[in-house]
Every structure is written in structure tokens, then in C-alpha cells.
Amino acid sequence: EMSSNDIASWPPQSALAFNAPLDATDGREMGVGPIIFPVLCRLYLAANILQFDVEPRFSALLFLHRYASAIGKDGLTKHKSISDWKWIGAACLFLACKAEEEPRRLRDVINLAEMLFVNEDDDNLVTMTKNPPGLNEKYWEAKKKVVETEQSVLRWMMFNISVAHPHRAVVLLLEKEKQRELLIPAAFRRLNDALFHTPALTFPVLELAVAAIELAEEEVLGHSGSGGKTLDLQQRYNLPRDAVSLAKTKLIEATNMLRQCKERARFLKP
């Protein structure tokens, strides 16, 4: 848990890490698989429809990453279609509601899973069925399935749903910065992009947050963030410059990857 506002006391773990963290070197060479990416797209859209704040949304997608990492390549071969991820996605959303104390009705989560996780000829085309399923026997079966899947996801994650949030770190790091109102949204966009690129999530949270701030400085203020504010942050929290630079590279890769996928991953509003 990271309830303290004393950033220096936060554990040096990555957002992706849980009880059995991935090897960082291997993790940074990974990408998001062809099935995981469209699942993440649907989960992100569902979180927005449910009006999740930034942290529960981050947690929901992170839980999916953790689950996919835990079951490994052999497990992923058993989830070949979008519909195979329907209840896993619902479980990740509902777990995020509990973990971040932002409650939502289970029925709403089930409705979105039923409406969004629909197989298409193109998995990157995200559509929604027009109407949610009726409150009948099918709904009660779905509710039972979500509860069962939630337990399975928790077991794979070793029942650890604590998340180190880089967004919170950005807010605290920029607390007294004059340009914070401009820098925070720009840094948040970079961190949101990271959710679609596993290697970006393998860095310690402070390194990831400082890298996002550096990119925000370049975008908003029009100059390199390698000096000034970010250099001061690196020195204050004893962050290795090489590590921050690598985290920055992975965040750039995440953004570029999403731009390349823009034509493939089309979001149609309901």
C-alpha cells in the first residue's frame, strides 16, 4: 500500500509487480500480445463508461496485465477470442472497484462485459451491442460466473491487489510546481499510454513518474526535461539517470505504438 504522501518512503516496486514480480530485464523486452491489446481497449472503454477515476481505471487494466503475466504463454493459448476474456475483464473491473474503494453495481459491470466483449471479424474494432441483457436466468448465471472468475484471478495474482500508482506520484511530485495544471494532464496521458505497453510498467513507480514528467515538460514547455525540475527530482530521490531515461524511452514507445494502432483500434461510442 502507498497511502503515505511521503514519497521517499514508498517501496521501490513497479506498478506491474506483485508477490512474484516479473524479472525486470525480461519484462522490458515484452510487448502486449495480439489478444491482450484488444482486451485492454475494451477494458479501458468500460472503465470510462463506468466513470472510473484515474486510479481504479489504472488498477483494472493492471490486474489484467498481472493475470496475463501469471498464466503465461501456455495459459494465453486457451484464451484465443475476445469472448474468452469477457468474465476475466469483468472480474478485473470489479476487483478494481473494491481495491480502490470506488464501488459500482455488479450488474453494470456485467452489462458492459456482455455488450463489449463480443467477437468481431476484426478484434480491434470495438463495438457495443445496443441493449444490455435482461434481468433473467442468464443474468444470474453471469453473476455467478463473475464471482467464480474473480476468485480465479485473485489466486493467479496471489491475492495481492495492492497497486503502486504513478499518477499519484506525479501529483505529489508536482505539488508546488507553478506549471502543474499543464504538466499533470500531459504526464497522465503518458502514464495512460503505458497501460497498453507492458515494458513501460516494469519500472519502479518513481522512475516512471519522473519520466512522464520529463516528457510532459518537453510537450508543454517546449524544452528538454533532462535538467531543471526532473534533474532536481532525480537527485532528491536518488534515482538513476539511466533508469529514468530507459523508462522515458518505454513511455515514448507506448505512445508511438498506440499512434500506429490508431487505424486498427477504432472506438465507436455507444
Side-chain angles (χ1 to χ4, degrees), residues 63-103:
F63 292 158
L64 185 76
H65 277 287
R66 288 182 180 179
Y67 175 79
S69 299
I71 65 174
K73 292 181 179 178
D74 291 340
L76 288 173
T77 60
K78 300 176 183 178
H79 301 80
K80 296 181 179 180
S81 69
I82 287 298
S83 61
D84 292 335
W85 290 90
K86 176 167 60 177
W87 303 126
I88 297 168
C92 289
L93 284 168
F94 204 54
L95 276 173
C97 292
K98 296 177 181 178
E100 303 300 337
E101 298 183 352
E102 188 160 325

Coordinates of all heavy atoms in Angstrom, one line a residue, residues 63-103:
F63 N -4.5 -5.2 -13.3 CA -4.9 -6.5 -12.9 C -4.9 -7.5 -14.1 O -4.6 -8.7 -14.0 CB -6.2 -6.5 -12.2 CG -6.2 -5.8 -10.9 CD1 -7.4 -5.3 -10.3 CD2 -5.0 -5.6 -10.2 CE1 -7.4 -4.7 -9.1 CE2 -5.0 -5.0 -9.0 CZ -6.2 -4.5 -8.4
L64 N -5.4 -7.0 -15.3 CA -5.4 -7.8 -16.5 C -4.0 -8.2 -16.9 O -3.7 -9.3 -17.2 CB -6.1 -7.1 -17.6 CG -6.3 -8.0 -18.8 CD1 -7.4 -9.0 -18.7 CD2 -6.6 -7.2 -20.1
H65 N -3.1 -7.2 -16.8 CA -1.7 -7.5 -17.1 C -1.1 -8.5 -16.2 O -0.4 -9.4 -16.6 CB -0.8 -6.2 -17.0 CG -0.8 -5.3 -18.2 ND1 -0.2 -5.6 -19.3 CD2 -1.4 -4.1 -18.4 CE1 -0.3 -4.6 -20.2 NE2 -1.1 -3.7 -19.7
R66 N -1.4 -8.4 -14.9 CA -0.9 -9.3 -13.9 C -1.4 -10.7 -14.2 O -0.6 -11.7 -14.1 CB -1.2 -8.9 -12.5 CG -0.5 -7.6 -12.0 CD -0.9 -7.3 -10.6 NE -0.2 -6.1 -10.1 CZ -0.4 -5.6 -8.9 NH1 -1.3 -6.1 -8.1 NH2 0.3 -4.5 -8.5
Y67 N -2.7 -10.8 -14.4 CA -3.3 -12.1 -14.7 C -2.6 -12.7 -15.9 O -2.2 -13.9 -15.9 CB -4.8 -12.0 -14.9 CG -5.5 -13.2 -15.3 CD1 -5.8 -14.2 -14.4 CD2 -5.8 -13.5 -16.7 CE1 -6.4 -15.4 -14.7 CE2 -6.4 -14.7 -17.0 CZ -6.7 -15.6 -16.1 OH -7.3 -16.8 -16.4
A68 N -2.5 -12.0 -17.0 CA -1.9 -12.5 -18.3 C -0.4 -12.9 -18.0 O 0.0 -13.9 -18.6 CB -2.0 -11.4 -19.4
S69 N 0.3 -12.1 -17.2 CA 1.7 -12.5 -16.9 C 1.8 -13.7 -16.1 O 2.6 -14.6 -16.3 CB 2.4 -11.3 -16.2 OG 2.4 -10.2 -16.9
A70 N 0.8 -13.9 -15.2 CA 0.8 -15.1 -14.3 C 0.5 -16.4 -15.0 O 1.1 -17.4 -14.7 CB -0.2 -14.8 -13.1
I71 N -0.5 -16.3 -15.9 CA -0.9 -17.6 -16.6 C 0.1 -18.0 -17.6 O 0.2 -19.1 -18.1 CB -2.3 -17.5 -17.2 CG1 -2.4 -16.5 -18.3 CG2 -3.3 -17.2 -16.1 CD1 -3.7 -16.5 -19.0
G72 N 0.9 -17.0 -18.1 CA 2.0 -17.3 -19.1 C 1.5 -17.6 -20.5 O 0.3 -17.6 -20.8
K73 N 2.4 -17.9 -21.3 CA 2.1 -18.2 -22.7 C 1.2 -19.4 -22.9 O 0.3 -19.4 -23.8 CB 3.4 -18.4 -23.5 CG 4.3 -17.1 -23.7 CD 5.5 -17.4 -24.5 CE 6.3 -16.1 -24.6 NZ 7.6 -16.4 -25.4
D74 N 1.4 -20.4 -22.1 CA 0.6 -21.6 -22.3 C -0.9 -21.3 -21.9 O -1.8 -21.7 -22.5 CB 1.1 -22.7 -21.4 CG 2.4 -23.3 -21.8 OD1 2.7 -23.1 -23.0 OD2 3.1 -23.9 -21.0
G75 N -1.0 -20.5 -20.8 CA -2.4 -20.1 -20.4 C -3.1 -19.2 -21.4 O -4.3 -19.3 -21.7
L76 N -2.3 -18.3 -22.0 CA -2.8 -17.4 -23.0 C -3.4 -18.1 -24.3 O -4.3 -17.7 -24.9 CB -1.8 -16.4 -23.4 CG -1.4 -15.3 -22.4 CD1 -0.3 -14.5 -22.9 CD2 -2.6 -14.4 -22.1
T77 N -2.8 -19.3 -24.6 CA -3.3 -20.0 -25.8 C -4.7 -20.5 -25.6 O -5.4 -20.9 -26.5 CB -2.3 -21.2 -26.1 OG1 -2.3 -22.1 -24.9 CG2 -0.9 -20.7 -26.4
K78 N -5.2 -20.6 -24.3 CA -6.5 -21.0 -24.0 C -7.5 -19.9 -24.1 O -8.7 -20.1 -24.0 CB -6.6 -21.7 -22.7 CG -5.7 -22.9 -22.5 CD -5.7 -23.4 -21.1 CE -4.7 -24.6 -20.9 NZ -4.7 -25.0 -19.5
H79 N -7.0 -18.7 -24.4 CA -7.9 -17.5 -24.5 C -7.7 -16.9 -25.8 O -7.0 -15.9 -26.0 CB -7.6 -16.5 -23.4 CG -7.7 -17.0 -22.0 ND1 -6.8 -17.8 -21.4 CD2 -8.7 -16.9 -21.1 CE1 -7.2 -18.1 -20.1 NE2 -8.4 -17.6 -19.9
K80 N -8.3 -17.5 -26.8 CA -8.0 -17.1 -28.2 C -8.9 -16.1 -28.8 O -8.6 -15.4 -29.7 CB -8.0 -18.4 -29.1 CG -6.9 -19.4 -28.8 CD -7.0 -20.6 -29.7 CE -5.9 -21.6 -29.4 NZ -5.9 -22.8 -30.3
S81 N -10.1 -15.9 -28.2 CA -11.0 -15.0 -28.8 C -11.4 -13.9 -27.7 O -11.2 -14.1 -26.5 CB -12.3 -15.7 -29.2 OG -13.0 -16.2 -28.1
I82 N -12.0 -12.8 -28.2 CA -12.4 -11.8 -27.3 C -13.4 -12.3 -26.2 O -13.3 -11.9 -25.0 CB -13.0 -10.6 -28.0 CG1 -11.9 -9.8 -28.8 CG2 -13.8 -9.6 -27.1 CD1 -10.9 -9.2 -27.9
S83 N -14.3 -13.1 -26.6 CA -15.3 -13.6 -25.7 C -14.7 -14.5 -24.6 O -15.3 -14.6 -23.5 CB -16.4 -14.4 -26.4 OG -15.8 -15.6 -27.1
D84 N -13.6 -15.1 -24.8 CA -12.9 -15.8 -23.8 C -12.4 -15.0 -22.6 O -12.1 -15.4 -21.5 CB -11.7 -16.6 -24.3 CG -12.1 -17.7 -25.3 OD1 -13.2 -18.2 -25.2 OD2 -11.2 -18.0 -26.2
W85 N -12.3 -13.6 -22.9 CA -11.8 -12.7 -21.8 C -13.0 -12.0 -21.2 O -12.7 -11.1 -20.3 CB -10.9 -11.7 -22.5 CG -9.6 -12.3 -22.9 CD1 -9.3 -12.9 -24.1 CD2 -8.4 -12.4 -22.1 NE1 -8.0 -13.3 -24.1 CE2 -7.4 -13.1 -22.9 CE3 -8.1 -12.1 -20.8 CZ2 -6.2 -13.4 -22.4 CZ3 -6.8 -12.3 -20.3 CH2 -5.9 -13.0 -21.1
K86 N -14.2 -12.3 -21.5 CA -15.3 -11.5 -21.0 C -15.4 -11.4 -19.5 O -15.5 -10.4 -18.9 CB -16.6 -12.0 -21.6 CG -17.9 -11.3 -21.1 CD -19.1 -11.7 -21.9 CE -19.4 -13.2 -21.9 NZ -20.6 -13.5 -22.7
W87 N -15.4 -12.6 -18.9 CA -15.5 -12.6 -17.4 C -14.2 -12.3 -16.7 O -14.3 -11.8 -15.6 CB -16.1 -14.0 -17.0 CG -17.4 -14.3 -17.6 CD1 -17.7 -15.4 -18.3 CD2 -18.5 -13.5 -17.7 NE1 -19.0 -15.3 -18.8 CE2 -19.5 -14.1 -18.4 CE3 -18.9 -12.2 -17.2 CZ2 -20.8 -13.6 -18.7 CZ3 -20.1 -11.7 -17.4 CH2 -21.1 -12.4 -18.2
I88 N -13.1 -12.5 -17.3 CA -11.8 -12.0 -16.8 C -11.8 -10.5 -16.7 O -11.4 -9.9 -15.7 CB -10.7 -12.6 -17.6 CG1 -10.6 -14.1 -17.5 CG2 -9.3 -12.0 -17.1 CD1 -9.7 -14.8 -18.5
G89 N -12.3 -9.9 -17.8 CA -12.3 -8.4 -17.8 C -13.3 -7.9 -16.8 O -13.0 -6.9 -16.1
A90 N -14.5 -8.5 -16.7 CA -15.4 -8.1 -15.7 C -14.9 -8.2 -14.3 O -15.0 -7.4 -13.4 CB -16.7 -8.9 -15.8
A91 N -14.2 -9.3 -14.0 CA -13.6 -9.6 -12.7 C -12.5 -8.5 -12.4 O -12.4 -8.0 -11.2 CB -12.9 -11.0 -12.6
C92 N -11.7 -8.1 -13.4 CA -10.7 -7.1 -13.2 C -11.3 -5.8 -12.9 O -10.8 -5.0 -12.0 CB -9.8 -7.0 -14.4 SG -8.7 -8.4 -14.6
L93 N -12.4 -5.4 -13.5 CA -13.1 -4.2 -13.3 C -13.7 -4.2 -11.9 O -13.5 -3.2 -11.1 CB -14.2 -4.0 -14.3 CG -13.9 -3.6 -15.7 CD1 -15.1 -3.7 -16.6 CD2 -13.4 -2.1 -15.7
F94 N -14.3 -5.3 -11.5 CA -15.0 -5.3 -10.2 C -13.9 -5.3 -9.0 O -14.1 -4.7 -8.0 CB -15.9 -6.5 -10.1 CG -17.0 -6.4 -9.1 CD1 -17.8 -5.3 -9.1 CD2 -17.2 -7.3 -8.1 CE1 -18.8 -5.1 -8.2 CE2 -18.2 -7.2 -7.1 CZ -19.0 -6.1 -7.2
L95 N -12.8 -6.0 -9.3 CA -11.7 -6.0 -8.3 C -11.1 -4.6 -8.1 O -10.8 -4.2 -7.0 CB -10.6 -7.0 -8.7 CG -10.8 -8.5 -8.4 CD1 -9.7 -9.3 -9.0 CD2 -10.8 -8.7 -6.9
A96 N -11.0 -3.9 -9.2 CA -10.5 -2.5 -9.1 C -11.5 -1.6 -8.3 O -11.0 -0.8 -7.5 CB -10.3 -1.9 -10.5
C97 N -12.8 -1.8 -8.4 CA -13.8 -1.1 -7.6 C -13.5 -1.3 -6.1 O -13.6 -0.4 -5.3 CB -15.2 -1.5 -8.0 SG -15.7 -1.1 -9.7
K98 N -13.3 -2.6 -5.8 CA -13.0 -2.9 -4.4 C -11.7 -2.4 -3.9 O -11.6 -1.8 -2.8 CB -13.1 -4.4 -4.2 CG -14.5 -5.1 -4.5 CD -14.4 -6.6 -4.4 CE -15.7 -7.2 -4.7 NZ -15.7 -8.7 -4.6
A99 N -10.7 -2.6 -4.7 CA -9.3 -2.2 -4.3 C -9.2 -0.7 -4.1 O -8.5 -0.3 -3.1 CB -8.3 -2.7 -5.3
E100 N -9.9 0.0 -4.9 CA -9.7 1.5 -4.9 C -10.9 2.2 -4.2 O -11.0 3.4 -4.2 CB -9.6 2.1 -6.3 CG -8.4 1.5 -7.0 CD -7.0 1.7 -6.4 OE1 -7.0 2.7 -5.5 OE2 -6.1 1.0 -6.6
E101 N -11.8 1.3 -3.6 CA -12.9 1.8 -2.8 C -13.8 2.8 -3.7 O -14.1 3.9 -3.2 CB -12.5 2.5 -1.5 CG -11.8 1.5 -0.6 CD -11.4 2.2 0.7 OE1 -11.5 3.4 0.9 OE2 -11.0 1.4 1.6
E102 N -14.0 2.4 -4.9 CA -14.9 3.2 -5.8 C -16.0 2.2 -6.3 O -15.9 1.7 -7.4 CB -14.1 3.7 -7.0 CG -14.9 4.7 -7.8 CD -14.0 5.6 -8.6 OE1 -12.9 6.0 -8.2 OE2 -14.4 6.0 -9.8
P103 N -17.0 2.0 -5.5 CA -18.0 1.0 -5.8 C -18.8 1.2 -7.0 O -19.2 2.4 -7.3 CB -18.9 0.9 -4.5 CG -18.7 2.3 -3.9 CD -17.3 2.7 -4.2

